[in-house]
Amino acid sequence: MVFRIWSHSYKEGDEMPNAQRYHGMGQNGGNLSPSLFWEDAPDNTKSFVITMYDPDASTGSGWWHWVVVNISPNITHLVEGASSNKLLPEGAIEIRNDFGQKEYGGGAPPPGKPHCYIITIHALNIARIDVTPSSTPAFVGFNVHHHSLASAQLICHLKG
């Protein structure tokens, strides 16, 4: 069995639909977090972390669009719009993204080259990461790096 993630909002390699694009910065999207489903996490998983990252952002360090920590190991999906509609599982915490918001921020590349958006689900060997919504994605990444059992990715693209 292979740990995997997928969505009904878009398929692997698709262009990001308007519903998942940011509303602002030249985009007129719905800014809805995608539906996400995952299965076959390691048996000893104690929590999940979901991240969405754009390595192509012209910042020198990429762009964090979404970080959700402390998802219970018995959760296997999120509905589309879970972030903006406050439908995340009990105990899950959204961390401040690079838009400065504590919620999902969709794709909004500047004109030019296409950008890659990588959603990753991490299965962790700890029940929770001690963070607040104001913690940084880098702090979460440090903890994920030291407690990851497995991860799976879903990638889409958006032309700038």
Side-chain angles (χ1 to χ4, degrees):
M1 294 190 290
V2 175
F3 186 32
R4 69 183 197 109
I5 185 172
W6 70 96
S7 176
H8 291 301
S9 300
Y10 53 84
K11 292 181 176 38
E12 174 74 23
D14 280 357
E15 180 170 303
M16 181 181 284
N18 195 59
Q20 277 66 56
R21 295 178 192 177
Y22 192 67
H23 189 82
M25 296 182 70
Q27 297 289 328
N28 193 23
N31 206 45
L32 293 175
S33 55
S35 67
L36 296 173
F37 299 84
W38 55 93
E39 66 183 7
D40 296 329
D43 289 338
N44 52 344
T45 298
K46 295 184 179 172
S47 69
F48 295 107
V49 169
I50 294 173
T51 62
M52 184 170 136
Y53 177 70
D54 172 5
D56 300 312
S58 55
T59 64
S61 60
W63 192 273
W64 292 99
H65 287 263
W66 196 30
V67 180
V68 185
V69 303
N70 301 338
I71 300 170
S72 171
N74 64 342
I75 301 298
T76 59
H77 74 279
L78 297 178
V79 298
E80 184 175 79
S83 177
S84 58
N85 292 312
K86 308 301 180 212
L87 297 174
L88 292 172
E90 184 177 341
I93 299 172
E94 290 181 291
I95 302 302
R96 180 180 46 85
N97 61 28
D98 284 340
F99 291 109
Q101 302 163 337
K102 296 166 187 153
E103 63 184 8
Y104 173 86
K113 69 177 185 160
H115 284 228
C116 178
Y117 297 89
I118 305 167
I119 291 182
T120 306
I121 184 157
H122 305 271
L124 304 185
N125 65 2
I126 56 175
R128 64 184 303 276
I129 297 175
D130 189 20
V131 295
T132 69
S134 295
S135 296
T136 66
F139 183 76
V140 171
F142 173 83
N143 282 279
V144 165
H145 177 76
H146 289 285
H147 296 285
S148 182
L149 297 169
S151 62
Q153 294 184 329
L154 173 66
I155 299 172
C156 72
H157 304 275
L158 185 56
K159 185 174 182 340

